[in-house]
Each structure stands twice: as structure tokens, then as C-alpha cells.
Amino acid sequence: KASSGIEGNAVVFYRIIRGSTAQTNKHDTFYLQQRPDNGETWADIKVNHPLDYESIKEYNLTVRVENNGPQQLASEATIYVVLEDVNDEIPLFTEREQETVLEGEPIGTKVTQVNAIDKDGTYPNNEVLYRIVENARNEGKDFFEIRERTGEIYTRMEFDREEKQAYALEVEARDGAASARPNANGRPNTVTKFIRIGIADKNDNPPYFDKTLYEAEVDENEDIQHTVLTVTAKDQDESSRIRYEITNGNIGGAFAVKNMTGAVYVAGPLDYETRTRY
């Protein structure tokens, strides 16, 4: 409120001076409305655009008032508008869609660390806490645990890739105060995210042949490099490459095996009259 300084002429005119920066009302974030009251004129400063503490925390407004005299004398006042932070930002996860943990690792092995950022400007509005969502669709809830304040995820069991190759884990991030958003009903701001945790293969299974005994016949005058038969082995470990070698019974080096395919072939001269069986 300002007075005119002229006896018998109480009329005054107010205006906000537009500054050169957003903090000094360059974008008309605030506006002024004159209000008469009991013969006096007040200037109400009102909000014109939504305010955001995370963008601008303080405004410096200059209000100019002029009287209605012949020279229209004027005066100015500075108004400091300091914003208070409200909990209107939702914590958002940084991208982390997929992680892996080795099978056979002991209980308590660290898998990963999730991270969410809340852009509110003050504590506890920008505090972020984590938990694993407890519902039927969250298949990983019984197999992993999460540290509430750090977001670190650890195993609760020893995994076997040959039993299950991946788990979908739903985690939640929430901030530390009641939300200022509409219809929040006093609850904090929350967000959930699914993370795929793959079980990485470890070479923990021996290969096995599809037969315990292979039999084949070959003529004694067969050419060198002639394939007699091919043996086949399998391994439950996806990452394992099977290699073949002859370990016993190959008298005189009569045969050899291709180490990548298991093809057994003639490698030396054969003589039925000397040996009939290997």
C-alpha cells in the first residue's frame, strides 16, 4: 500500500516494472491488481504463471507507484518473493533395464544398484527410498532383496541357469514426504520399474554322450581320412564348447577324431590279420 502524499487527492497508480531476467518478472510471472479499500488503494501481487522451485527459487519484483498530482511524482519498492519447495516431483529411475548374475554364486551376492532421482529441491521431498514390490506378478520378489536407502540388490538364493534363465523383478522408488500432487491423499510420490535379471551361465555341468557304446565296421583297405563314424556329446551349459579326443585304445595310431565335430576317421594303415578290433 502506498499513499499519494497529496492532501485531498488519494489517487495512486501502481505497476510492476518488467525486468530483464525471469527473476525480475521478464515473463510476467506475476501481475499487479489495484484494489480500493476504505478510500485507500492497495496493490495485490498475484501469480500469473505456475511457479517451480526447481527452476527459480526467488524473485525480485520492483513496484512503481505514482500519484495524481501535476508532476506525477513516483516512488519504487522492491518485493522479494521466496518460493517454498513442495513435494511435486516424482522420483525417476535412471535407465537400467537388464542385469546378470552368475549361477552358483553364494547367497548375498550383489547383483546391481538401481538409482532414482527426485528433482525436488529440499529434503525430505527429494529423499528416495527403495523396496521390492510385493505382488503376485513380481516373480523375483522371493529371490532378491534391496537395500532401502542405497538401491543395492542382492541375491537370496543360489541360482541354477539350467533351471531358470531369467527373473523379472519389480522395484519401487518413493520419496520421503507426502505428495503435493492432486489426489495423492497424503501418500509419497512413487514409481515402479521392472528389471530383467538374467542368470549367466557357468561351466558347471560335464558333457555327456548320447550313447555309452558306439560300434562301426571299416574295411582294412579303407583310405586314410575315411570317416568311420561320428560320436555326439551334449552339455547343459550353453557357454561350453565341446571338444573331442581319443584317450585310450588307439593302438598304433590307427584312428583319429576331429576335435570339433567328433568324426572318427582312419589315420593309419589297417590290417585285419594283425588286429580285428579296437
Coordinates of all heavy atoms in Angstrom, one line a residue, residues 87 89-93 116 118 124-132 146 148-149 171-177 187-192:
N87 N 6.4 -31.0 -2.5 CA 6.8 -32.3 -3.0 C 6.0 -32.6 -4.2 O 5.0 -33.4 -4.2 CB 6.6 -33.4 -1.9 CG 7.1 -34.8 -2.3 OD1 7.9 -34.8 -3.2 ND2 6.7 -35.8 -1.7
E89 N 7.6 -33.4 -7.4 CA 8.4 -34.2 -8.3 C 8.3 -35.6 -8.0 O 8.5 -36.0 -6.8 CB 9.8 -33.7 -8.3 CG 10.0 -32.2 -8.9 CD 9.9 -32.1 -10.4 OE1 9.9 -33.2 -11.0 OE2 9.7 -31.0 -10.9
I90 N 8.2 -36.5 -9.0 CA 8.2 -37.9 -8.8 C 9.6 -38.4 -9.0 O 10.3 -38.0 -10.0 CB 7.3 -38.6 -9.8 CG1 5.8 -38.2 -9.5 CG2 7.4 -40.1 -9.8 CD1 4.8 -38.8 -10.5
P91 N 10.1 -39.3 -8.1 CA 11.5 -39.9 -8.4 C 11.4 -40.7 -9.7 O 10.5 -41.5 -9.9 CB 11.7 -40.8 -7.2 CG 10.4 -41.0 -6.6 CD 9.5 -39.9 -6.9
L92 N 12.4 -40.6 -10.5 CA 12.5 -41.3 -11.8 C 13.8 -42.1 -11.8 O 14.9 -41.6 -11.5 CB 12.5 -40.3 -12.9 CG 11.2 -39.4 -13.1 CD1 11.4 -38.4 -14.2 CD2 10.0 -40.3 -13.3
F93 N 13.6 -43.4 -12.3 CA 14.7 -44.3 -12.4 C 15.6 -43.9 -13.5 O 15.2 -43.5 -14.6 CB 14.3 -45.7 -12.6 CG 13.8 -46.4 -11.4 CD1 12.4 -46.5 -11.2 CD2 14.6 -46.9 -10.4 CE1 11.9 -47.2 -10.0 CE2 14.2 -47.5 -9.3 CZ 12.8 -47.7 -9.1
A116 N 17.3 -43.8 -8.6 CA 16.2 -42.9 -9.0 C 16.5 -41.5 -8.5 O 17.1 -41.4 -7.4 CB 14.9 -43.4 -8.4
D118 N 15.1 -37.6 -7.6 CA 13.9 -36.8 -7.4 C 14.4 -35.3 -7.5 O 15.3 -34.9 -6.8 CB 13.4 -37.1 -6.0 CG 12.0 -36.4 -5.7 OD1 11.9 -35.2 -6.0 OD2 11.1 -37.1 -5.3
P124 N 12.7 -33.4 3.1 CA 12.8 -34.8 2.6 C 12.1 -35.0 1.3 O 11.8 -36.2 0.9 CB 12.1 -35.6 3.7 CG 11.0 -34.6 4.2 CD 11.7 -33.3 4.1
N125 N 11.7 -33.9 0.6 CA 11.0 -34.1 -0.7 C 11.8 -34.8 -1.7 O 11.2 -35.5 -2.6 CB 10.6 -32.7 -1.2 CG 9.6 -32.0 -0.3 OD1 8.9 -32.6 0.5 ND2 9.5 -30.6 -0.4
N126 N 13.1 -34.6 -1.7 CA 14.0 -35.3 -2.7 C 14.7 -36.5 -2.2 O 15.5 -37.1 -2.8 CB 15.0 -34.3 -3.2 CG 15.9 -33.7 -2.1 OD1 15.8 -34.2 -1.0 ND2 16.7 -32.7 -2.5
E127 N 14.3 -37.0 -1.0 CA 14.8 -38.2 -0.5 C 14.2 -39.4 -1.3 O 13.0 -39.4 -1.6 CB 14.5 -38.4 1.0 CG 15.0 -39.7 1.6 CD 14.6 -39.9 3.0 OE1 13.5 -39.4 3.4 OE2 15.3 -40.6 3.8
V128 N 15.0 -40.4 -1.6 CA 14.5 -41.5 -2.4 C 14.8 -42.8 -1.6 O 15.9 -43.1 -1.1 CB 15.1 -41.6 -3.8 CG1 14.6 -42.9 -4.5 CG2 14.9 -40.4 -4.6
L129 N 13.7 -43.6 -1.4 CA 13.8 -44.9 -0.7 C 13.3 -46.0 -1.7 O 12.4 -45.7 -2.5 CB 12.9 -44.9 0.5 CG 13.2 -43.8 1.6 CD1 12.2 -43.8 2.7 CD2 14.6 -44.0 2.2
Y130 N 13.8 -47.2 -1.5 CA 13.6 -48.3 -2.4 C 13.0 -49.5 -1.7 O 13.2 -49.7 -0.5 CB 14.9 -48.7 -3.1 CG 15.6 -47.6 -3.8 CD1 16.6 -46.9 -3.2 CD2 15.3 -47.3 -5.2 CE1 17.2 -45.8 -3.8 CE2 16.0 -46.3 -5.8 CZ 17.0 -45.6 -5.1 OH 17.6 -44.5 -5.8
R131 N 12.2 -50.2 -2.5 CA 11.7 -51.5 -2.0 C 11.3 -52.4 -3.1 O 11.1 -51.9 -4.3 CB 10.4 -51.3 -1.0 CG 9.2 -51.0 -1.7 CD 8.0 -50.8 -0.8 NE 6.7 -50.6 -1.5 CZ 5.9 -51.5 -1.8 NH1 6.1 -52.8 -1.4 NH2 4.7 -51.2 -2.4
I132 N 11.2 -53.7 -2.8 CA 10.7 -54.7 -3.8 C 9.2 -54.8 -3.7 O 8.7 -54.9 -2.6 CB 11.4 -56.0 -3.7 CG1 12.9 -55.9 -4.0 CG2 10.7 -57.1 -4.5 CD1 13.7 -57.2 -3.8
I146 N 16.6 -55.8 -1.5 CA 17.1 -54.5 -1.9 C 17.3 -53.7 -0.7 O 16.6 -53.8 0.3 CB 16.1 -53.8 -2.9 CG1 16.7 -52.5 -3.5 CG2 14.8 -53.4 -2.1 CD1 15.9 -52.0 -4.6
E148 N 17.1 -50.4 1.3 CA 16.1 -49.3 1.2 C 16.7 -48.0 0.8 O 16.2 -47.3 0.0 CB 15.4 -49.2 2.6 CG 14.3 -48.1 2.5 CD 13.6 -47.9 3.9 OE1 14.3 -47.8 4.9 OE2 12.4 -47.9 3.9
R149 N 17.9 -47.6 1.3 CA 18.5 -46.3 1.1 C 19.4 -46.2 -0.1 O 19.7 -45.2 -0.6 CB 19.1 -45.8 2.4 CG 18.1 -45.6 3.5 CD 18.7 -44.8 4.7 NE 17.6 -44.5 5.6 CZ 16.8 -43.5 5.6 NH1 16.9 -42.6 4.6 NH2 15.9 -43.3 6.5
V171 N 10.7 -53.2 -8.8 CA 11.2 -52.4 -7.7 C 10.4 -51.1 -7.7 O 10.0 -50.6 -8.7 CB 12.7 -52.2 -7.7 CG1 13.4 -53.5 -7.6 CG2 13.1 -51.5 -9.0
E172 N 10.3 -50.5 -6.5 CA 9.6 -49.2 -6.3 C 10.6 -48.2 -5.7 O 11.4 -48.5 -4.8 CB 8.4 -49.4 -5.4 CG 7.7 -48.1 -5.1 CD 6.7 -48.2 -4.0 OE1 5.5 -48.6 -4.3 OE2 7.0 -48.1 -2.8
A173 N 10.5 -47.0 -6.2 CA 11.2 -45.8 -5.6 C 10.1 -44.8 -5.1 O 9.2 -44.5 -5.8 CB 12.1 -45.1 -6.6
R174 N 10.3 -44.4 -3.9 CA 9.3 -43.4 -3.3 C 10.1 -42.3 -2.6 O 11.2 -42.5 -2.2 CB 8.4 -44.1 -2.3 CG 9.1 -44.6 -1.0 CD 8.1 -45.3 -0.1 NE 8.7 -45.6 1.1 CZ 9.5 -46.7 1.4 NH1 9.8 -47.5 0.4 NH2 9.9 -46.9 2.6
D175 N 9.5 -41.1 -2.6 CA 10.2 -40.0 -1.9 C 9.8 -39.9 -0.5 O 9.0 -40.8 0.0 CB 10.0 -38.7 -2.7 CG 8.6 -38.3 -2.9 OD1 7.8 -38.7 -2.1 OD2 8.3 -37.5 -3.8
G176 N 10.4 -39.0 0.2 CA 10.3 -39.0 1.7 C 9.2 -38.2 2.3 O 9.3 -37.9 3.6
A177 N 8.3 -37.6 1.6 CA 7.2 -36.8 2.2 C 5.9 -37.0 1.5 O 5.9 -37.6 0.4 CB 7.7 -35.3 2.1
R187 N -0.1 -39.6 0.5 CA 1.0 -40.6 0.2 C 2.2 -40.0 -0.5 O 2.0 -38.9 -1.2 CB 0.4 -41.7 -0.7 CG -0.7 -42.6 -0.1 CD -1.1 -43.7 -1.0 NE -1.6 -43.2 -2.2 CZ -2.9 -43.0 -2.5 NH1 -3.8 -43.2 -1.5 NH2 -3.3 -42.6 -3.7
P188 N 3.4 -40.6 -0.4 CA 4.5 -40.0 -1.1 C 4.4 -40.3 -2.6 O 3.6 -41.1 -3.0 CB 5.7 -40.7 -0.5 CG 5.1 -42.0 0.0 CD 3.7 -41.7 0.5
N189 N 5.2 -39.6 -3.4 CA 5.3 -39.9 -4.8 C 6.0 -41.2 -5.0 O 7.1 -41.4 -4.4 CB 6.0 -38.7 -5.6 CG 5.2 -37.4 -5.5 OD1 4.0 -37.4 -5.7 ND2 5.8 -36.3 -5.1
T190 N 5.5 -42.0 -5.9 CA 6.2 -43.3 -6.1 C 6.2 -43.6 -7.6 O 5.5 -43.1 -8.4 CB 5.4 -44.5 -5.4 OG1 4.1 -44.6 -6.0 CG2 5.3 -44.3 -3.9
V191 N 7.2 -44.5 -8.0 CA 7.3 -45.0 -9.3 C 7.8 -46.4 -9.2 O 8.6 -46.7 -8.4 CB 8.2 -44.1 -10.2 CG1 9.6 -44.1 -9.7 CG2 8.1 -44.5 -11.7
T192 N 7.4 -47.3 -10.1 CA 7.9 -48.7 -10.2 C 8.5 -49.0 -11.5 O 8.3 -48.3 -12.5 CB 6.8 -49.7 -9.9 OG1 5.8 -49.6 -11.0 CG2 6.1 -49.5 -8.6

